[in-house]
Amino acid sequence: MQNGEARRHLVEELSDVLMYFNDVLLCYGITEQELKQACTTKFETNMTRW
């Protein structure tokens, strides 16, 4: 993204997504370890598809 204003807007929107994501984790008591394991498992599954 070369346009500085567009980039700033994108980063701001991504920060909103991150905040909502964090709220969901907190709301449902999802731990860092649970999320890490789920991401690792999903990554490994996806790597077998190609």
Side-chain angles (χ1 to χ4, degrees), residues 10-47:
L10 175 62
V11 171
E12 182 181 330
E13 292 302 318
L14 289 173
S15 70
D16 286 341
V17 171
L18 187 57
M19 287 189 298
Y20 288 124
F21 177 78
N22 190 59
D23 287 347
V24 171
L25 295 179
L26 291 171
C27 180
Y28 291 101
I30 298 170
T31 67
E32 180 182 333
Q33 285 303 98
E34 284 179 291
L35 188 59
K36 181 180 177 181
Q37 183 58 53
C39 286
T40 300
T41 301
K42 186 67 169 180
F43 176 79
E44 290 169 352
T45 299
N46 287 344
M47 289 297 101

